[in-house]
Amino acid sequence: MESDALEDDEMSSLIAFHLNQSGPTEFVFRVLTTSPKIQALLFCFFLFLYILILCGNTAIIWAVYTHTSLHTPMYFFLSNLSFLEICYTTTVVPLMLSNIFGAQRPIPLAGCAAQMFLFCALGGTDCFLLAVMAYDRYVAICHPLHYTLIMTRKRCIQLVGASLGLASCLNLQLTALIFTLPFCGHRLEINHFLCDVPPVLRLACGDTRLHQAVLFVVGILVLTIPFVLISISYIFIANSILRIRSAEGRRRAFSTCSSHLSVVLLQYGCCTLVYMCPRSSEDEDRQLALIYTFVTPLLNPLIYTLRNKDVKEALKKSMTCKIACETP
């Protein structure tokens, strides 16, 4: 009897050990702070930024949709970029806000994988779409007579679809590869506010050299190659602008590119530091993630509306029409 009891205890210990070494069923995010006052301030601050992001990008989509003067390829791409920014931020912020008070609500393994895939796929689509917008500006400035023949409605839709499809395909493979790794424990704490690739890789028990290499290759395909194409486009654009004789013509040509170039530098700069420099610390990753999760989607509509005369005029007309309609 005693031997049977000992065997049962040993079996239980082996089962418990096996379960402790198997993959986790859930993750939790590390709290930003334990001070209730600071938590309340952070919640209100990030909620305010999220509302601004939603309102600003929705206003651009609405202006492009309701004004026929903006039914051009450039503004078609801009409205799609704004829609991506809304989806991109929404995959992160609601869950972040729900965890900001330190409750550490768990997210299951499948939920973490889904958030990682959506966040990376939408971010990758953003990068590809910025390259498409640079190509659009190149055709408009360097080949203005053939612009309507090249940038047809069908081709614009195909370019947006290709951007989304390529980014989704690359990041689906990356996410699937990452979540084949062994994780030790059932409840792991991520030192981040989202299931991003670098912090999840740090929690793996196995060898991650292959996964780091795949991440680097995906980073080259999503970040480096599009940025090189954007740079080449702007070299040709700058050459064409310098050939314009009138100062007003040069100013107008440059104004259509300066907004896009500002967004490119902000988006690619932050993402390159996170995904192409794996030696950065966890705190640096979180700080940079805050920039491309909140600052970039917030600045995009501001940059394009403040520096784009057509969008500003469309928004002013919409507001004036709404006020006139509401006035008895």
Side-chain angles (χ1 to χ4, degrees):
M1 294 293 291
E2 291 180 358
S3 61
D4 291 341
L6 289 173
E7 289 179 0
D8 291 340
D9 290 340
E10 291 177 359
M11 183 63 68
S12 300
S13 299
L14 288 173
I15 293 173
F17 177 78
H18 174 73
L19 290 173
N20 286 332
Q21 297 302 313
S22 63
T25 57
E26 58 189 19
F27 294 91
V28 292
F29 300 109
R30 183 170 298 178
V31 296
L32 297 175
T33 179
T34 56
S35 172
K37 291 183 179 179
I38 298 178
Q39 287 174 349
L41 287 174
L42 288 176
F43 180 86
C44 295
F45 176 67
F46 288 128
L47 178 62
F48 178 66
L49 290 181
Y50 181 53
I51 293 173
L52 286 180
I53 290 169
L54 294 180
C55 293
N57 286 286
T58 302
I60 288 181
I61 296 171
W62 181 51
V64 173
Y65 179 76
T66 55
H67 290 80
T68 55
S69 61
L70 300 182
H71 290 179
T72 62
M74 180 175 71
Y75 297 111
F76 171 76
F77 294 133
L78 177 58
S79 62
N80 278 275
L81 181 66
S82 295
F83 178 72
L84 282 173
E85 299 288 14
I86 292 174
C87 298
Y88 175 78
T89 309
T90 303
T91 61
V92 176
V93 179
L95 183 60
M96 175 188 176
L97 292 176
S98 68
N99 286 281
I100 208 166
F101 286 104
Q104 286 193 307
R105 293 179 179 84
I107 178 172
L109 185 68
C112 186
Q115 186 187 54
M116 180 186 291
F117 166 70
L118 290 173
F119 182 76
C120 294
L122 292 170
T125 306
D126 250 9
C127 294
F128 288 135
L129 190 57
L130 288 172
V132 169
M133 293 173 74
Y135 173 71
D136 172 72
R137 291 299 82 207
Y138 160 75
V139 176
I141 294 174
C142 299
H143 304 282
L145 299 178
H146 300 91
Y147 180 70
T148 56
L149 297 176
I150 297 174
M151 301 304 294
T152 62
R153 180 76 174 179
K154 181 180 179 181
R155 180 160 297 174
C156 291
I157 295 173
Q158 289 174 341
L159 288 171
V160 172
S163 300
L164 178 60
L166 182 58
S168 299
C169 181
L170 290 173
N171 286 286
L172 180 62
Q173 297 180 57
L174 176 63
T175 304
L177 182 64
I178 288 173
F179 282 89
T180 58
L181 280 167
F183 295 95
C184 298
H186 289 286
R187 191 181 179 93
L188 296 179
E189 185 181 65
I190 301 177
N191 187 18
H192 214 291
F193 57 87
L194 70 126
C195 289
D196 204 359
V197 177
V200 172
L201 278 178
R202 292 189 184 103
L203 298 176
C205 295
D207 186 4
T208 62
R209 286 178 295 180
L210 173 62
H211 304 76
Q212 294 285 359
V214 172
L215 175 61
F216 186 76
V217 171
V218 172
I220 290 176
L221 294 175
V222 174
L223 295 172
T224 305
I225 293 178
F227 185 75
V228 169
L229 294 176
I230 291 172
S231 301
I232 293 172
S233 298
Y234 273 104
I235 289 173
F236 286 106
I237 289 171
N239 186 43
S240 296
I241 290 175
L242 292 175
R243 291 181 180 179
I244 299 175
R245 294 183 179 180
S246 66
E248 178 64 19
R250 287 195 298 270
R251 187 194 65 80
R252 290 184 61 184
F254 179 75
S255 66
T256 62
C257 301
S258 58
S259 303
H260 175 259
L261 191 58
S262 302
V263 173
V264 166
L265 293 176
L266 185 63
Q267 175 84 6
Y268 280 86
C270 293
C271 292
T272 300
L273 289 175
V274 172
Y275 297 105
M276 303 295 287
C277 302
R279 293 183 181 179
S280 60
S281 68
E282 294 181 356
D283 291 334
E284 289 175 348
D285 283 352
R286 284 206 298 182
Q287 293 166 7
L288 290 170
L290 285 173
I291 293 176
Y292 61 72
T293 302
F294 286 96
V295 178
T296 305
L298 179 61
L299 286 182
N300 282 358
L302 290 176
I303 290 172
Y304 278 109
T305 52
L306 293 177
R307 300 180 66 90
N308 193 299
K309 183 179 178 181
D310 295 334
V311 176
K312 284 193 291 186
E313 289 181 354
L315 290 174
K316 286 179 182 178
K317 288 180 182 179
S318 299
M319 295 301 296
T320 304
C321 179
K322 185 176 181 180
I323 294 172
C325 293
E326 292 178 353
T327 303

